């Protein structure tokens, strides 16, 4: 099998990460699937391999810098260039107001959404640059572009991810690496809202109640695939994508 360029996807065990891995594998990349849940990424790698694609699972916690550096070092001997990094690992915890929010949840969200993105980007940026045509994707959120009640910790973390992407874009202009920020709005996946509400499926269901067609993980993956597949001189600096029913973080049309 011909060696394919490498695309690394963090948080690839479910949702947008898994859908993005499928999309990039179909585009001909050798996708490295990283996430903490080894069983999930191994199953996805087996699925992609059976479909004739190239995929490698690698259990990784993006908040562990030593582990991230070891992962980056393992790619040095892969024999083909690292062309794409999709920083998808992240998530939300809780929906309490600022006055009563749990600082531990805020810290965990910052560690994953911001520092995790920083760790992996710093570790892989030399290889992406050396490829001569690299792309860094930061999956932020519309929460990184506007506030809403009960979202303080998550909003703060996603604002951090947005600023990281925007600053990196400025700092490495002139190098052969694009920086793309994709900011999805209301996306219904199997785990996001349930995780946010500590496994409370009733609360999670209310997030999407009455919304006929929220975004899906595949919608966002398709957006990422489109942005990555533009000609090398085209940089999609920022793409905000929402379902038609959502005009802002707080303006959502819900059917009765």
């Amino acid at each position: 099998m011909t060696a394919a360029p490498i695309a690394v996807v963090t948080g690839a065990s479910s949702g947008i990460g898994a859908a993005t891995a499928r999309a990039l594998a179909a585009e001909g990349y050798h996708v490295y699937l990283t996430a903490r849940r080894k069983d999930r990424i191994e199953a996805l790698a087996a699925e992609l391999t059976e479909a004739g694609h190239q995929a490698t699972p690698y259990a990784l916690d993006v908040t562990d810098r030593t582990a991230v550096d070891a992962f980056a070092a393992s790619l040095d001997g892969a024999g083909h260039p690292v062309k794409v990094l999709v920083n998808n690992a992240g998530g939300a915890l809780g929906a309490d107001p600022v006055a009563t929010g749990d600082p531990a949840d805020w810290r965990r969200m910052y560690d994953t959404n911001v520092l995790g993105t920083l760790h992996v980007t710093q570790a892989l940026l030399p290889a992406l640059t050396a490829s001569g045509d690299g792309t860094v994707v930061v999956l932020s959120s519309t929460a990184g572009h506007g506030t809403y009640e009960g979202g303080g910790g998550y909003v703060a973390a996603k604002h951090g991810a947005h600023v990281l992407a925007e600053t990196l874009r400025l700092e490495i202009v002139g190098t052969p690496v694009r920086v793309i920020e994709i900011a999805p709005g209301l996306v219904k996946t199997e785990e996001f809202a349930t995780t946010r509400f500590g496994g409370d499926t009733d609360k999670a269901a209310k997030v999407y109640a009455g919304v006929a067609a929220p975004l899906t993980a595949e919608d966002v993956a398709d957006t990422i695939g489109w942005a990555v597949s533009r000609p090398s001189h085209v940089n999609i600096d920022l793409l905000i994508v929402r379902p038609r029913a959502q005009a802002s973080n707080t303006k959502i049309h819900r059917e009765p």
Side-chain angles (χ1 to χ4, degrees):
M1 184 177 290
T2 304
I6 291 173
V8 175
V9 180
T10 69
S13 57
S14 66
I16 293 171
T20 299
R22 292 185 179 100
L24 293 179
E27 289 290 329
Y29 289 95
H30 183 140
V31 181
Y32 275 71
L33 314 165
T34 74
R36 290 175 298 175
R37 293 180 291 183
K38 185 178 179 182
D39 59 329
R40 297 289 292 269
I41 55 175
E42 286 180 342
L44 179 55
E47 171 199 318
L48 293 174
T49 300
E50 186 175 349
H53 306 308
Q54 299 181 55
T56 300
Y58 192 106
L60 181 67
D61 180 350
V62 297
T63 68
D64 183 340
R65 183 53 184 261
T66 300
V68 169
D69 287 342
F71 168 63
S74 76
L75 296 180
D76 289 343
H80 35 136
V82 181
K83 299 290 287 291
V84 176
L85 164 61
V86 179
N87 286 297
N88 168 73
L93 296 170
D96 297 319
V98 171
T100 57
D102 186 345
D105 285 345
W106 282 55
R107 186 174 297 109
R108 286 173 60 196
M109 286 187 282
Y110 189 85
D111 281 347
T112 306
N113 291 283
V114 184
L115 294 182
T117 297
L118 178 67
H119 292 326
V120 182
T121 300
Q122 286 183 336
L124 293 185
L125 193 55
L128 289 161
T129 305
S131 78
D133 186 19
T135 300
V136 175
V137 177
V138 175
L139 213 14
S140 63
S141 167
T142 54
H145 298 269
T147 61
Y148 59 91
E149 293 169 287
Y154 182 60
V155 166
K158 285 304 188 182
H159 270 71
H162 161 62
V163 169
L164 187 159
E166 189 173 64
T167 306
L168 180 64
R169 175 81 171 99
L170 294 170
E171 291 174 343
I172 66 171
V173 68
T175 73
V177 179
R178 300 181 297 181
V179 181
I180 296 169
E181 179 187 351
I182 306 293
L186 187 67
V187 185
K188 186 175 183 179
T189 63
E190 67 268 31
E191 294 184 324
F192 179 84
T194 303
T195 299
R196 182 171 200 167
F197 294 111
D200 189 326
T201 55
D202 290 336
K203 282 186 177 181
K206 289 178 181 177
V207 173
Y208 312 105
V211 180
L215 296 177
T216 66
E218 289 71 25
D219 291 330
V220 180
D222 182 60
T223 302
I224 294 169
W226 175 83
V228 168
S229 64
R230 295 310 85 205
S232 298
H233 70 287
V234 177
N235 197 110
I236 307 301
D237 286 15
L238 169 64
L239 198 160
I240 294 176
V241 53
R242 293 186 175 101
R244 185 174 62 188
Q246 182 186 31
S248 76
N249 289 340
T250 56
K251 183 72 171 180
I252 302 174
H253 175 71
R254 299 180 188 272
E255 302 288 345

